[in-house]
Amino acid sequence: MSTPFDPAAVVAEFIDRVAPYDPQPGTAPVAVVGVRTALGEATFTVGDHVIRAMCRALEAYRDPDDRGTCVECGSRRLDENLHCRECGRLHGILGEVIAHHARRVAAEEAM
């Protein structure tokens, strides 16, 4: 189980970490970011530097469960063993070894 966190506090901490590096401090705000959760709500008025940093951080984020796309069916549901939960194909080096072996066995049986 993961430790619960307060999304509004995380946003506030991000702003506090990024704002000191604004090359034009004190310029007019360009965005308002609001966070509403069961813990409450918060609104943050931010400048261009902070909102750009926030956008870059969101663009750079990759989910830890993202293991790529299945080459067989296109699903994005590969488990930790690179086994596709949709079509059953096994990916990665082990998957390639098994697929190669299956092709070889099938070719031998066809003879």
Side-chain angles (χ1 to χ4, degrees):
M1 179 190 246
S2 63
T3 305
F5 61 94
D6 179 359
V10 172
V11 171
E13 289 169 11
F14 179 86
I15 292 169
D16 287 345
R17 281 194 317 271
V18 173
Y21 303 102
D22 188 341
Q24 298 177 333
T27 57
V30 298
V32 175
V33 177
V35 179
R36 181 182 297 164
T37 68
L39 300 174
E41 61 183 77
T43 304
F44 306 94
T45 304
V46 295
D48 184 66
H49 180 75
V50 170
I51 200 67
R52 285 179 183 275
M54 195 174 288
C55 289
R56 284 192 298 271
L58 290 169
E59 286 175 347
Y61 177 79
R62 297 296 176 258
D63 194 289
D65 290 330
D66 182 356
R67 296 178 184 94
T69 303
C70 177
V71 297
E72 189 73 28
C73 71
S75 169
R76 296 192 53 85
R77 297 184 37 136
L78 302 180
D79 67 15
E80 61 277 352
N81 296 311
L82 301 180
H83 183 254
C84 180
R85 295 179 193 153
E86 300 295 326
C87 73
R89 180 177 175 134
L90 188 59
H91 294 74
I93 294 171
L94 178 59
E96 289 301 316
V97 169
I98 291 171
H100 178 67
H101 178 71
R103 285 191 296 272
R104 190 175 63 229
V105 168
E108 288 173 1
E109 289 177 357
M111 291 183 175

